[in-house]
């Protein structure tokens, strides 16, 4: 009798599974993948070091140059100078991270395991995009603010550093006169005896500076989404990175060879154009052929949304 009871217990069916694997679990899984890959930490460290370190070198060099060319203070955009390494070089690094976020699983074959654990492909794709966007936005904001504060600390004695806490006034124009030299300026430094007279004032409000800092972080985040969408389309790491570099760096260079009327009409529709206006805080110094910051960010967002959507469609339709 006891043997029969034990046998029945062994043969009894398992309790039915409850619940359904959903987006929350997929997001947790994607965060685990990101944390467990060493390349993520190395790439993010490179982003911080390059964006902050190179930015500090640029702002430090600018501050030192004022001692030789005082006239360069006129119209100097301290915010853009401190952020230039972040939005120019940082976007390249973040594009690599974004492309690898999806293509690395195809190269290792782990995408089959992911889709076996979560057969709902739309959920897997959405989880990857959400994790990437969240991580990129947080890192970009931290990097942007640190690069700004480090840069302004190096420029603090120059009289043209920007601030998030009070309005800053910087000279708008500089008139340089040198004895027996005519107009001076430029070169490694002004000749002895030259006199610099400033005129006009540019007023930089803290809200403008804050938008430039956040705008650069948003731009880099949109670049990540754009590269992620490209990665979903081509499913190859090197190919995705090459296409992203071409879209963000090579095509804008080739576009310079076009006739001016064509170039001026085309440039505002390219995904990289936003970085030329979001970081500008000096009134009237942005490229006159581009739209203002929000519309240009909108263009980059449309590129990112289109590529993200196309990647989602093919992710659901193609075999792993």
């Amino acid at each position: 009798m006891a043997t029969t009871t034990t046998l029945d217990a062994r043969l009894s069916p398992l309790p039915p599974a409850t619940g359904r694997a959903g987006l929350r679990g997929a997001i947790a899984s994607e965060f685990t993948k990101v944390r467990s890959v060493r390349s993520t930490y190395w790439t993010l460290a490179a982003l911080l070091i390059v964006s902050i370190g190179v930015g500090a070198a640029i702002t430090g060099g600018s501050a030192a140059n004022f001692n030789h060319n005082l006239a360069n203070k006129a119209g100097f955009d301290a915010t853009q100078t401190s952020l230039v390494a972040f939005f120019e070089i940082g976007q390249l690094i973040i594009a690599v991270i974004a492309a690898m976020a999806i293509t690395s699983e195809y190269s290792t074959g782990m995408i089959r395991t992911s889709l076996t654990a979560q057969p709902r492909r739309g959920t897997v794709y959405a989880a990857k995009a959400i994790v990437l966007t969240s991580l990129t936005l947080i890192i970009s904001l931290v990097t942007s603010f640190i690069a700004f504060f480090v840069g302004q600390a190096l420029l603090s004695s120059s009289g043209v550093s920007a601030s998030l806490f009070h309005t800053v006034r910087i000279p708008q124009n500089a008139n340089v006169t040198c004895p027996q030299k005519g107009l001076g300026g430029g070169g490694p430094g002004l000749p002895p005896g030259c006199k610099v007279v400033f005129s006009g004032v540019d007023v930089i409000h803290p809200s403008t500076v804050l938008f430039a800092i956040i705008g650069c972080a948003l731009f880099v985040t949109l670049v990540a989404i754009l590269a992620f969408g490209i990665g979903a389309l081509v499913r190859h790491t090197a190919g995705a990175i090459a296409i992203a570099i071409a879209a963000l760096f090579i095509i804008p260079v080739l576009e310079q060879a076009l006739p001016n009327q064509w170039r001026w009409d085309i440039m505002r529709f390219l995904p990289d154009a936003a970085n030329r206006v979001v970081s500008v805080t000096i009134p009237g110094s942005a490229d006159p052929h581009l739209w203002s910051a929000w519309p240009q960010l909108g263009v980059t967002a449309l590129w990112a949304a289109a590529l993200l959507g196309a990647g989602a469609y093919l992710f659901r339709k193609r075999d792993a």
Side-chain angles (χ1 to χ4, degrees):
M1 186 69 175
T3 302
T4 304
T5 304
T6 302
L7 183 60
D8 291 343
R10 290 177 180 175
L11 296 177
S12 60
L14 295 173
T18 59
R20 184 182 183 185
L23 181 61
R24 183 176 179 180
I27 291 174
S29 175
E30 293 302 323
F31 266 119
T32 301
K33 293 176 186 177
V34 170
R35 292 197 306 268
S36 61
V37 179
R38 187 176 299 176
S39 61
T40 301
Y41 298 97
W42 283 109
T43 312
L44 292 178
L47 173 66
L48 288 167
I49 293 170
V50 170
S51 301
I52 299 172
V54 176
I58 293 173
T59 50
S62 299
N65 186 56
F66 291 145
N67 297 326
H68 305 287
N69 289 285
L70 188 63
N72 288 344
K73 288 186 177 183
F76 180 75
D77 196 330
T79 302
Q80 186 180 51
T81 303
S82 62
L83 296 175
V84 65
F86 171 54
F87 65 76
E88 289 289 0
I89 306 175
Q91 63 173 309
L92 173 60
I93 298 174
I94 213 70
V96 173
I97 298 175
M100 291 176 58
I102 189 165
T103 58
S104 60
E105 289 200 49
Y106 282 102
S107 62
T108 60
M110 283 298 296
I111 190 66
R112 299 185 184 90
T113 304
S114 298
L115 294 178
T116 299
Q118 172 54 276
R120 297 162 63 193
R121 295 190 171 208
T123 300
V124 174
Y125 189 83
K128 288 180 179 295
I130 290 171
V131 169
L132 173 70
T133 303
S134 303
L135 178 64
T136 303
L137 181 59
I138 293 171
I139 294 297
S140 296
L141 285 170
V142 171
T143 305
S144 190
F145 273 99
I146 293 177
F148 170 78
F149 284 119
V150 170
Q152 303 319 303
L154 294 171
L155 291 167
S156 59
S157 61
S158 66
V160 292
S161 60
S163 175
L164 282 172
F165 310 106
H166 59 82
T167 299
V168 173
R169 298 174 181 272
I170 66 169
Q172 190 176 68
N173 304 294
N175 183 29
V176 182
T177 56
C178 298
Q180 300 179 353
K181 296 287 185 181
L183 291 178
L190 294 178
C194 290
K195 182 179 181 182
V196 178
V197 178
F198 294 109
S199 62
V201 174
D202 282 320
V203 180
I204 306 174
H205 295 278
S207 59
T208 304
V209 175
L210 179 62
F211 173 77
I213 298 171
I214 296 176
C216 287
L218 291 176
F219 171 74
V220 172
T221 302
L222 289 173
V223 167
I225 298 172
L226 184 149
F228 178 83
I230 294 174
L233 290 174
V234 302
R235 303 196 296 186
H236 188 274
T237 301
I241 294 173
I243 294 172
I245 291 174
L248 296 168
F249 295 96
I250 298 177
I251 292 178
V253 172
L254 296 177
E255 169 249 344
Q256 300 296 319
L258 295 174
N260 284 341
Q261 292 299 327
W262 293 8
R263 177 165 59 88
W264 294 336
D265 289 334
I266 292 173
M267 64 190 299
R268 64 176 66 100
F269 294 102
L270 297 179
D272 76 303
N275 72 357
R276 306 179 205 176
V277 291
V278 295
S279 59
V280 174
T281 61
I282 303 297
S285 62
D287 192 321
H289 304 293
L290 296 176
W291 291 313
S292 59
W294 282 115
Q296 284 300 163
L297 271 177
V299 171
T300 307
L302 287 175
W303 277 96
L307 290 168
L308 186 68
Y313 176 79
L314 292 181
F315 188 83
R316 298 183 65 178
K317 295 297 182 181
R318 293 187 298 196
D319 294 333

